[in-house]
Amino acid sequence: MDRHDKIAISMIFLLSLLLAIISSIWQASTMPNIPRESFDIDPRTALELARGFARNYSDGVVPPGVDIYITGIQWAWIPNNIKIKAGVTYRFIFMSSDVVHGLEIIGPKGVVYSLMVMPGMAYVAYLRFDEPGVYEIRCNEYCGIGHQDMIGRIEVVR
Ligand code: CUA
């Protein structure tokens, strides 16, 4: 290896280091929310939890302190309609029961939360909605022909 080779190799090394730094900064600034808390869950268990939650809280406002289970399944969110109180922090558990879905919550003023949900994982997020109104849960990760039909509703009330 002569001197030029060494210089070339160190240049390449420095350049890739620089690219790695730039891309991690870029990622950090554009990444959807990554909850700090997550745990493994069987996709079928995820579905049972979400269905159970949907059964128990389909009418009325979800009382503060109650965990909210939401799972994505081709091609819907379960539950697909919940009512929560404005200004209250709820513990949400977001899951998928089949493939990767992109959970995105869109309020009157735009996207308020987004998270990629993978089957086998439960993601815990503490969310508070201060603005009353209707928020939509959409899927922003292509997941098959019914992808655009994955629309759920969160109604935030005073
Ligand atoms: Cu689920 Cu796209």
Side-chain angles (χ1 to χ4, degrees):
M1 222 196 285
D2 68 16
R3 222 177 103 245
H4 287 101
D5 288 343
K6 281 182 186 161
I7 292 170
I9 288 171
S10 10
M11 291 289 278
I12 291 168
F13 175 75
L14 282 175
L15 201 66
S16 53
L17 193 69
L18 193 69
L19 279 174
I21 293 169
I22 291 172
S23 73
S24 62
I25 292 171
W26 171 255
Q27 249 186 14
S29 63
T30 58
M31 220 155 27
N33 305 281
I34 307 271
R36 265 170 294 168
E37 211 183 318
S38 62
F39 54 91
D40 295 344
I41 195 162
D42 183 275
R44 281 162 304 182
T45 311
L47 189 56
E48 280 162 27
L49 284 167
R51 282 190 175 146
F53 177 85
R55 262 196 309 275
N56 293 337
Y57 300 102
S58 57
D59 312 312
V61 180
V62 179
V66 168
D67 291 348
I68 299 175
Y69 292 89
I70 297 179
T71 196
I73 186 164
Q74 288 167 320
W75 287 280
W77 297 106
I78 299 173
N80 67 356
N81 199 347
I82 60 166
K83 216 180 270 183
I84 61 173
K85 252 181 112 56
V88 171
T89 300
Y90 288 91
R91 184 169 182 259
F92 285 80
I93 293 97
F94 297 123
M95 305 164 295
S96 166
S97 295
D98 45 26
V99 298
V100 175
H101 296 283
L103 181 144
E104 190 167 75
I105 302 176
I106 306 160
K109 290 179 185 157
V111 175
V112 294
Y113 189 78
S114 106
L115 169 76
M116 190 182 274
V117 285
M118 286 194 275
M121 292 296 287
Y123 305 88
V124 181
Y126 297 85
L127 303 180
R128 197 184 75 207
F129 297 80
D130 291 327
E131 289 276 325
V134 173
Y135 292 69
E136 270 186 355
I137 308 174
R138 287 184 169 267
C139 186
N140 65 6
E141 184 73 35
Y142 184 74
C143 57
I145 51 161
H147 160 72
Q148 71 284 350
D149 300 330
M150 292 186 67
I151 303 171
R153 221 173 108 100
I154 299 175
E155 203 181 324
V156 179
V157 296
R158 279 253 182 260

